[in-house]
Amino acid sequence: MPEGDRSVLEVRDLNTVFRTRGGEVHAVNSVSFDVERGELLGVVGESGSGKSVTMMSLIGLLPMPPAEIRSGEVLLDGEDLLKVSPKRLREVRGGEVGFVFQDPMTSLNPVFPVGFQIAEPLRRHMGMTKAQARERSVELLELVGIPGARGRLDDYPHQFSGGMRQRVMIAIALACEPKLLIADEPTTALDVTIQAQILELVHDLRDRLGMSIVWITHDLGVIAQIADRVLVMYGGQVVEKAPVKPLFNDPRHPYTRALLKTIPSVTGARQPKLETIEGQPPILGAAPSACPFRDRCPLAFDRCHRENPAREVVAPRHDVACFHPSAHDPSKIGAEVAA
Ligand SMILES: Nc1ncnc2c1ncn2[C@@H]1O[C@H](COP(=O)(O)OP(=O)(O)OP(=O)(O)O)[C@@H](O)[C@H]1O
Ligand SMILES: [Mg+2]
């Protein structure tokens, strides 16, 4: 396969800011990554690191203003989504790209029954008749574990519990068998059994349809279980990117290492708290001119306070944004004590 054909999505140098009364908030800073066909890309990082804003920027879901996408490219099979018409973007959302966000702004519409909300995209994007779309809606609701699915088509969102609504959202996201699914903390509100079922369902769809998935979560246990590759975000930047095994076995960024230390063992660990790393996450303001992790980093030296490290390749498909030698050469980790 030619190199360019491997990626369904390529994000290049994305910069998103919010204009607020207190000044500009640089929420996404030069973020670049790609999503390969059929892969599950896990995204981790503590609260406020820019995970949701990054993903919402991709498919035009941010309120503009206050948000503004300053620069970047978002290539979905070569088509730059930052340049297409609003009409085309609506076609992409719920068609080629399915999404589940934590943000209530983008969740279910309270004035329509859920059956209609699932069936609508099926008719619009898949050309189904009303009857076909209704049948498929029942199947999808069953698939995500809604009991008595057929009898619930005419119910409104407020008649479902939070967890059930989340499942309906997932059913809608999967309805058109998207080539890319963006899932932002989609299962945190659900109990463990349903979580496992949904992960299995998503895996199955990926295998069957070659769907690519971006999965944002705070749960490193889930990442270890389901991801092929992982992006680690900090302070609105991607600080490390690697296939899942090297990420867990050979993390290079001091933040990633700190993150992994917060879980005693990856297997069996549930909902580890990312926030247990000492110190405060950075307050995002002006464009970063230094390493965002410097104030919490045990290895920071003068350069980290003056310059923001660019990401560099340290191993196959593994890159890291850090000046410290141990990030580039793990045999230098012992030197950290002296650093
Ligand atoms: N409407 C807004 N106006 C101003 N700043 C915003 C707005 N929305 C988000 N931000 C800022 O953008 C930054 C990134 O937020 P984002 O929601 O992407 O974080 P996150 O990594 O998804 O966190 P979480 O894990 O809590 O969901 C934060 O500093 C947040 O304060
Ligand atoms: Mg978020």
Side-chain angles (χ1 to χ4, degrees), residues 20-226:
T20 69
R21 257 188 270 155
E24 286 187 347
V25 175
H26 287 248
V28 177
N29 299 306
S30 298
V31 163
S32 298
F33 63 94
D34 60 344
V35 185
E36 291 174 12
R37 237 166 268 285
E39 89 165 334
L40 197 152
L41 181 72
V43 182
V44 292
E46 69 198 326
S47 199
S49 59
K51 305 180 297 296
S52 299
V53 173
T54 298
M55 300 311 157
M56 291 172 100
S57 299
L58 307 184
I59 48 173
L61 284 177
L62 286 177
M64 297 200 230
E68 182 186 322
I69 297 176
R70 279 279 157 84
S71 58
E73 278 181 323
V74 175
L75 303 171
L76 181 71
D77 273 332
E79 181 181 20
D80 191 345
L81 298 184
L82 298 184
K83 296 211 171 85
V84 301
S85 67
K87 179 170 175 281
R88 171 70 188 129
L89 207 51
R90 278 195 301 274
E91 241 169 61
V92 168
R93 290 197 298 257
E96 291 140 277
V97 180
F99 55 90
V100 185
F101 279 103
Q102 16 159 234
D103 192 303
M105 291 271 292
T106 59
S107 56
L108 295 166
N109 190 327
V111 303
F112 294 111
V114 301
F116 173 81
Q117 297 190 52
I118 305 173
E120 235 284 301
L122 290 170
R123 297 180 66 192
R124 192 152 35 101
H125 296 285
M126 311 278 274
M128 289 189 186
T129 64
K130 205 170 167 183
Q132 285 168 333
R134 207 171 159 86
E135 268 324 289
R136 182 72 185 131
S137 303
V138 174
E139 281 171 25
L140 283 160
L141 287 179
E142 281 169 351
L143 209 60
V144 295
I146 305 277
R150 190 174 297 275
R152 306 228 47 187
L153 288 179
D154 297 320
D155 287 352
Y156 289 82
H158 73 267
Q159 293 169 283
F160 291 79
S161 70
M164 291 282 178
R165 275 202 294 271
Q166 194 69 345
R167 278 186 259 174
V168 172
M169 292 289 300
I170 293 167
I172 294 173
L174 295 176
C176 294
E177 306 190 339
K179 58 184 172 192
L180 175 67
L181 173 72
I182 300 175
D184 191 352
E185 300 270 17
T187 55
T188 35
L190 307 179
D191 71 54
V192 177
T193 320
I194 300 294
Q195 248 189 52
Q197 277 171 17
I198 286 173
L199 291 177
E200 204 180 300
L201 164 71
V202 165
H203 257 172
D204 176 60
L205 283 164
R206 179 181 69 160
D207 294 345
R208 211 156 45 78
L209 310 172
M211 182 170 74
S212 308
I213 301 161
V214 175
W215 195 275
I216 301 176
T217 178
H218 280 96
D219 190 334
L220 288 165
V222 167
I223 291 285
Q225 220 183 317
I226 66 169

